[in-house]
């Protein structure tokens, strides 16, 4: 049986973060210049002279320290080229050494000491001298979710391991001194017993974690169709969603479930530009008449209101429903809510999004289409495509 991609990514990220916590190196794969790039990565606060030496011998590249640009600003470490205006201005920072150390700090023990100081929250600008023999890299605040690159991956992985978000990385060169290929990198990982994780794995993992939901409260709400329990949830982006639960869905082997995505104009004001209000009422009524079930009401993204209002203008070319299309993470959050409610098998009411994402948590045993007169037009936004290879 083939392991689902998200589960495999989760396993590889877990193995990598466990190794980092233990003070071991890992191998991170990504893309660069149309080929595969490999970086040895370690947690800065676990850096030792022996590790610095091993990184140099195994990787044959230059050791860098990656941390968020804002943290480097606090330490007074400026861009290496202050006149630069491109992306490299934030990435490449002035080299540093540790104040008070002997002649230049070129030795592995001195470099390790400097690297650990960069991860020390007690460090201040006066802790370091400039220039030095340690080369910091400035990273994006959102990590690989905004910049899917090795420096961001190093910081994200170290932070996921529960340590200060400062990573050490060394690009791996091949036997010929050029960029190592994928096969050579994987062989090197096996030879040295290094956990291997790709930037793609990390992107998948972090996006998945943003969809995780937490229960936030419950209230009984009488509706025209019957009495429902409204259970509030928040997702990883701190958006609030509501599950309207009727009866005891857990007593049913496969309760009736509907996923409804917020449409302010339709749901609240009954706009005739879409059938969202009719779909919502029909789904609640159908669940109430069945005796038990759940309607998961997924709140819209921050831009949905203005996009919907723009679509409702008389001269608009975009249908109202397309203006509040559901994101893949929205759908996953909806199924996470069903899982949190204890549901494992469901009969899914509606066909607007059910074929776009196959849930891992909940099995859909039956799909029940809405009548044409109540059929919603919520669409699924195209997924973001990353040009990053995964580990095989």
């Amino acid at each position: 049986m083939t392991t689902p991609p998200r589960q495999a990514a989760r396993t590889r990220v877990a193995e990598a973060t466990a190794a980092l916590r233990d003070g071991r190196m890992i191998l991170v794969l990504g893309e660069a210049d149309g080929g595969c790039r490999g970086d040895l990565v370690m947690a800065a606060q676990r850096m030792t002279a022996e590790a610095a030496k091993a990184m140099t011998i195994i990787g044959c590249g230059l050791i860098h320290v990656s941390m968020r640009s804002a943290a480097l600003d606090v330490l007074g470490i400026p861009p290496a080229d202050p006149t630069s205006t491109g992306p490299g201005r934030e990435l490449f920072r002035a080299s540093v050494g540790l104040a008070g150390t002997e002649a230049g700090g070129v030795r592995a023990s001195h470099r390790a000491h400097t690297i650990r100081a960069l991860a020390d929250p007690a460090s201040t600008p006066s802790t370091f001298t400039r220039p030095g023999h340690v080369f910091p890299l400035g990273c994006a605040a959102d990590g690989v979710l905004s910049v899917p690159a090795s420096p961001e991956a190093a910081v994200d992985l170290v932070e996921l391991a529960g340590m200060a978000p400062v990573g050490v990385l060394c690009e791996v060169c091949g036997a010929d001194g050029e960029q190592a290929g994928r096969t050579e990198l994987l062989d090197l990982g096996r030879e040295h017993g290094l956990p291997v994780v790709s930037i793609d794995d990390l992107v998948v993992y972090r996006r998945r974690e943003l969809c995780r939901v937490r229960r936030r409260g419950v209230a009984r709400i009488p509706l025209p169709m019957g009495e429902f329990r409204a259970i509030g949830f928040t997702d990883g982006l701190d958006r609030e969603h509501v599950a309207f639960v009727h009866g005891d869905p857990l007593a049913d082997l496969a309760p009736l479930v509907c996923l409804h995505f917020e449409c302010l104009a339709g749901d609240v004001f009954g706009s005739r530009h879409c059938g969202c209000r009719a779909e919502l009422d029909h789904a609640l009524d159908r669940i109430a008449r069945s005796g038990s079930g759940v309607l998961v009401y997924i709140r819209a993204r921050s831009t949905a209101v203005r996009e919907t209002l723009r679509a409702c203008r008389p001269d608009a070319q975009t249908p109202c429903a397309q203006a509040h299309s559901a994101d893949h993470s929205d759908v996953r959050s909806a199924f996470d809510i069903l899982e949190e409610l204890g549901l494992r098998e469901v009969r899914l009411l509606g066909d607007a999004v059910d074929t776009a994402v196959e849930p891992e948590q909940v099995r859909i045993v039956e799909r029940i289409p809405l009548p044409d007169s109540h059929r919603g037009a919520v669409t699924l936004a195209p997924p973001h495509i990353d040009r990053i290879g995964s580990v095989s």
Side-chain angles (χ1 to χ4, degrees), residues 50-354:
E50 293 75 15
K53 178 181 177 182
M55 266 193 163
T56 302
I57 293 173
I58 297 172
C60 300
L62 187 64
I63 293 179
H64 287 90
V65 180
S66 60
M67 52 197 298
R68 294 194 176 100
S69 294
L72 287 167
D73 292 339
V74 169
L75 291 176
I77 301 175
D81 180 6
T83 65
S84 173
T85 57
R89 176 182 173 84
E90 286 301 310
L91 177 61
F92 296 104
R93 296 296 181 111
S95 60
V96 297
L98 197 62
T101 57
E102 304 172 19
V106 70
R107 288 185 286 179
S109 57
H110 290 165
R111 282 184 288 159
H113 197 180
T114 304
I115 289 168
R116 290 197 302 272
L118 286 168
D120 187 346
S123 293
T124 65
S126 62
T127 304
F128 305 97
T129 59
R130 289 168 286 279
H133 291 85
V134 171
F135 303 93
L137 298 174
C139 298
D142 291 334
V144 296
L145 293 183
S146 57
V147 181
S150 300
E152 279 73 15
V155 171
D156 284 355
L157 286 164
V158 170
E159 187 171 44
L160 287 170
M163 292 177 285
V166 184
V168 186
L169 66 160
C170 175
E171 185 174 0
V172 179
C173 297
D176 58 358
E178 300 299 323
Q179 181 174 309
R182 184 182 185 80
T183 301
E184 189 175 2
L185 289 167
L186 294 175
D187 288 343
L188 181 141
R190 283 189 289 268
E191 178 185 350
H192 295 278
L194 305 175
V196 181
V197 63
S198 75
I199 297 176
D200 189 37
D201 290 332
L202 186 55
V203 170
V204 168
Y205 177 85
R206 288 205 56 201
R207 282 199 181 133
R208 184 69 189 87
E209 289 305 303
L210 284 176
C211 300
R212 296 292 181 188
V213 296
R214 296 183 179 181
R215 197 178 295 222
R216 295 301 188 188
V218 61
R220 294 192 176 276
I221 299 183
L223 298 176
M225 305 82 177
E227 186 174 271
F228 285 76
R229 281 180 296 133
I231 304 175
F233 292 88
T234 56
D235 62 17
L237 296 174
D238 206 31
R239 286 187 304 162
E240 298 176 334
H241 311 296
V242 184
F244 289 90
V245 181
H246 181 73
D248 184 9
L250 294 179
D252 193 337
L253 291 177
L256 190 63
V257 164
C258 180
L259 311 184
H260 188 88
F261 298 88
E262 179 184 18
C263 170
L264 177 68
D267 297 344
V268 178
F269 300 107
S271 169
R272 296 181 181 179
H273 280 82
C274 64
C276 294
R277 177 62 178 270
E279 178 187 350
L280 176 62
D281 290 343
H282 176 79
L284 290 168
D285 183 66
R286 184 79 176 264
I287 289 170
R289 286 191 287 109
S290 71
S292 67
V294 180
L295 182 138
V296 181
Y297 192 87
I298 298 296
R299 300 295 302 278
R301 300 186 296 278
S302 60
T303 59
V305 171
R306 62 174 176 264
E307 290 169 354
T308 300
L309 294 177
R310 187 182 300 117
C312 288
R313 295 182 312 196
D315 59 342
Q317 301 296 315
T318 302
C320 175
Q322 289 185 18
H324 53 79
S325 57
D327 187 83
H328 284 69
S329 62
D330 296 333
V331 179
R332 287 195 290 267
S333 290
F335 283 110
D336 278 346
I337 288 172
L338 294 176
E339 181 184 31
E340 179 67 22
L341 293 173
L343 303 185
R344 296 294 178 266
E345 294 187 342
V346 301
R347 292 177 295 134
L348 190 63
L349 176 63
D351 57 358
V353 299
D354 57 351

